[in-house]
Amino acid sequence: MKGKLNLITNIVPNQVKVYIHETTTNNSFMKVHHFLKAKGIKNNSFFLSIYDPDLIGVDPRDPSLNQVMKMKILRECMVNYWYFIREVVRLPAEGQEIPYNLSRGNLAMSYMFVYNISQFVEFPRQHGKTISALCWYLWVFNFGGKNIKMLFAHKKHSGAKDNLKSLKNIRDQLPPYLQMDSAIDQMTGKQIKAPNTLETLQNPINKNLIVTLPGARTPSLADGAGRGATMAIQFFDEFAFLPYNDIVYAAAAPAFSKAASNASKYNAPFGMLITTTPGDLTTREGAYANRMRLNATEWNENFYDLSYQDLKNLIDANDNSTFMHIKYTYKMLGSSEEYFKEMVRLLEKNWVKIRREVLLEWSRESDNNPFDKDDLEIISTNVKQEPLYTLFFGKANQFQMRFWDSIPPGSLYPPIIGVDVSSGINKDSSAITVIDSQTTKVIATFKSNFITMPE
């Protein structure tokens, strides 16, 4: 029996009709839909899209599916990434397979993926940033085009190989007719298996290729590895701990730019993804990753309501970076204080790791903190995670001023506004802080390291 469908248009260029699947059995998608709607985001259901209404209520894993229905599912997967992760993907877990769990964080990641926007992502541990990335790369590998080359890099080569292995495991959970792990030779009728090693994976049908980047032990090896990365899709995991990451990136960026330009010309996916745990600012790698993070344009969920061109203009207005910085705390991703307490126990109250991997703190001296370490748990519960509202301004609305409180109506006491304008020297930021002159509560804050002095 088919569920309720809402018809919408213009979700995808040249797509005449798109339906919204409001009766999907993947409840995580509905939860995020209701959250964005309650928050006032108008574009709150694009990830529920489906093009072929005949697939409503059809289980892609039903062993009794006929060939026609399998072809319909294949076509939907090819044109609709949201359908792929919502209805098809199952993630291997201990003794079971689980559906893809949509969150505010991996929705933002996926939105950047489908728009081919490079991103710098920070989530706490166990919140799925790597798995979400691998689901996208699997979709590209199986359905996103042909002759696409992808690069997996990690702080250690073994980590990149582990990510490739995880992608293979997710592929193995797909229905057999969607796995794309073999092809038939038209001349001999024999099955063709593509090269599949610990370090590479090739699709025998569309010739898409994933390779892993070996670790660099010297600056010259790092430069060589980066120069060889002529791929339109690049994934750097734990970037803040990648040896000589500044050299690798400086060498890889021009190669990526050329490959991305070619991919754009032929409507193929492209983009660079950096995911990392906060690094140590006393190290070369940590300091460079932090600089990239601070230079990037900061993500805001109001961007869902922007057109693609407006979003592109917003990113282009940032002269320092082409990246979108996406950061979600454990509270924003739906985890409770029980999660925090459990991580404290699991990490044996190692506050260096807790502050880095759970609280997402970038620290210059990880062991040196003015607060008693046992008080950090109390402090974390009182930190405001999200503002009451955000004021966007600038030519492309690229600047964000966050309001954390309001002045009582009819107040006779004006707020105090402090302004510190930076010239951009040493990557310093211009900042504005507004406080209540009676209570000294912070009302609003602004910080940007790419706003010009006249602006």
Side-chain angles (χ1 to χ4, degrees), residues 389-437:
Y389 62 93
T390 303
L391 173 67
F392 296 92
F393 63 98
K395 182 174 62 176
N397 282 330
Q398 69 270 34
F399 303 122
Q400 303 178 30
M401 190 165 191
R402 292 172 171 78
F403 286 78
W404 306 93
D405 211 330
S406 58
I407 301 174
S411 173
L412 299 177
Y413 301 92
I416 297 173
I417 303 175
V419 182
D420 181 12
V421 179
S422 169
S423 61
I425 298 175
N426 296 324
K427 305 297 180 181
D428 195 12
S429 296
S430 293
I432 300 173
T433 301
V434 182
I435 66 171
D436 187 309
S437 57

Side-chain angles (χ1 to χ4, degrees), residues 134-145:
L134 295 179
C135 287
W136 166 255
Y137 296 129
L138 175 59
W139 180 83
V140 173
F141 184 76
N142 276 10
F143 312 113

